[in-house]
């Protein structure tokens, strides 16, 4: 069974950093691109970023709202995709999901002083 | 950025009756590779999103056949042939043709 489990969320002050992880199982992780999405409280879905598989260079794409602050990486040996979030703002608050068609349950990030 | 506009934003339906949601994109979603990367997702209350349909009309694994997608270019439709209680939630269209990927505002499906 394909499964994605996000972790690493929590309460963080504005300007600080947080690293989210997405641990995959049930499929050959290295063959797939991985995406991150988020959902602010009571709002719709927003795409955050994307990392291609190594076959396609492992390159990344980001939403304008996070470009330069967030970095997506992958460790195919551990089947983990990561989202490094720096210079966090209150508007980054929400539930963060990883996905490769199947979605994880999400991890909550709250940016507040 | 491609703007995705869904209608209606709320859809009260009777159990067993059909429901339909429209999604219009601000520009064509036909990719240079010839595919149209338009997906539909369902988000039940308190749950993460779930992929229902990809590339306009392909049902994802495990999705009941009462869900169907259609359309082309800039206009797309999700239809539920007979609404069941478990279909209550918010439905989003999403384009993956061009970065940044963008979503419609969401359509809330509820039972009358």
């Amino acid at each position: 069974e394909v499964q994605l489990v996000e972790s690493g969320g929590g309460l963080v002050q504005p300007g600080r950093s947080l690293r989210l992880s997405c641990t995959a199982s049930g499929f050959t992780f290295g063959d797939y691109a991985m995406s991150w999405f988020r959902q602010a409280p009571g709002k719709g879905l927003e795409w955050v970023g994307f990392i291609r598989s190594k076959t396609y260079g492992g390159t990344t794409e980001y939403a304008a709202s996070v470009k330069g602050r967030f970095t997506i990486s992958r460790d195919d040996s551990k089947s983990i995709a990561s989202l490094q979030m720096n210079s966090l703002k209150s508007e980054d608050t929400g539930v963060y999901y990883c996905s490769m068609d199947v979605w994880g349950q999400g991890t909550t990030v709250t940016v507040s002083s | 950025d491609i703007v995705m506009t869904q209608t209606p934003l709320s859809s009260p339906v009777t159990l067993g009756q059909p429901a339909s949601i429209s999604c219009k994109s601000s520009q064509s979603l036909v990719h240079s590779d010839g595919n149209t990367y338009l997906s539909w997702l369902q988000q039940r209350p308190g749950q993460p999103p779930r992929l229902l349909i990809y590339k306009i009309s392909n049902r994802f694994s495990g999705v009941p056949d009462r869900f169907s997608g259609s359309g082309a270019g800039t206009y797309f439709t999700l239809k539920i042939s007979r609404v069941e209680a478990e279909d209550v939630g918010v439905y989003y269209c999403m384009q993956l043709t061009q970065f940044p990927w963008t979503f419609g505002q969401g359509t809330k499906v509820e039972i009358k």
Side-chain angles (χ1 to χ4, degrees):
Chain A
E1 180 197 3
V2 173
Q3 196 170 17
L4 299 172
V5 178
E6 300 92 340
S7 60
L11 174 63
V12 61
Q13 292 179 328
R16 304 298 290 261
S17 299
L18 204 60
R19 187 177 183 88
L20 306 183
S21 295
C22 170
T23 304
S25 59
F27 64 102
T28 305
F29 180 78
D31 290 347
Y32 287 82
M34 296 297 297
S35 303
W36 285 92
F37 299 87
R38 67 185 180 184
Q39 187 169 35
K43 301 297 185 182
L45 296 167
E46 180 186 14
W47 172 73
V48 172
F50 169 86
I51 185 166
R52 297 174 177 82
S53 67
K54 290 280 170 42
T55 300
Y56 292 93
T59 52
T60 52
E61 307 284 346
Y62 297 97
S65 58
V66 307
K67 195 168 186 178
R69 299 189 299 124
F70 289 14
T71 302
I72 298 173
S73 60
R74 63 188 302 150
D75 184 339
D76 291 349
S77 68
K78 296 181 179 176
S79 297
I80 293 177
S82 298
L83 178 65
Q84 176 67 41
M85 304 186 294
N86 298 333
S87 304
L88 282 161
K89 306 174 182 180
S90 58
E91 51 263 42
D92 295 320
T93 293
V95 179
Y96 283 72
Y97 300 99
C98 63
S99 171
M100 40 64 74
D101 293 338
V102 172
W103 289 58
Q105 289 293 315
T107 188
T108 300
V109 173
T110 303
V111 183
S112 174
S113 54
Chain B
D1 298 2
I2 297 177
V3 176
M4 306 296 287
T5 304
Q6 288 182 230
T7 53
L9 297 184
S10 178
S11 180
V13 295
T14 302
L15 286 173
Q17 293 300 302
S20 180
I21 301 169
S22 296
C23 177
K24 186 169 168 37
S25 58
S26 60
Q27 56 189 271
S28 173
L29 298 186
V30 179
H31 193 273
S32 56
D33 66 7
N35 290 305
T36 299
Y37 295 99
L38 184 283
S39 295
W40 289 95
L41 296 95
Q42 174 197 60
Q43 189 172 30
R44 292 169 172 152
Q47 295 295 310
R50 167 198 179 199
L51 178 64
L52 294 177
I53 303 283
Y54 63 97
K55 287 196 284 186
I56 302 177
S57 60
N58 297 275
R59 272 188 301 276
F60 192 58
S61 175
V63 174
D65 60 8
R66 64 179 182 275
F67 291 95
S68 64
S70 63
T74 62
Y75 195 79
F76 307 92
T77 304
L78 175 71
K79 291 183 179 173
I80 310 174
S81 60
R82 294 172 305 279
V83 171
E84 298 189 5
E86 65 179 19
D87 300 335
V88 165
V90 179
Y91 291 77
Y92 297 92
C93 61
M94 174 187 173
Q95 68 82 19
L96 303 88
T97 292
Q98 180 184 113
F99 291 111
W101 295 350
T102 48
F103 290 88
Q105 317 95 299
T107 295
K108 189 171 186 178
V109 172
E110 52 194 1
I111 305 301
K112 277 184 190 174

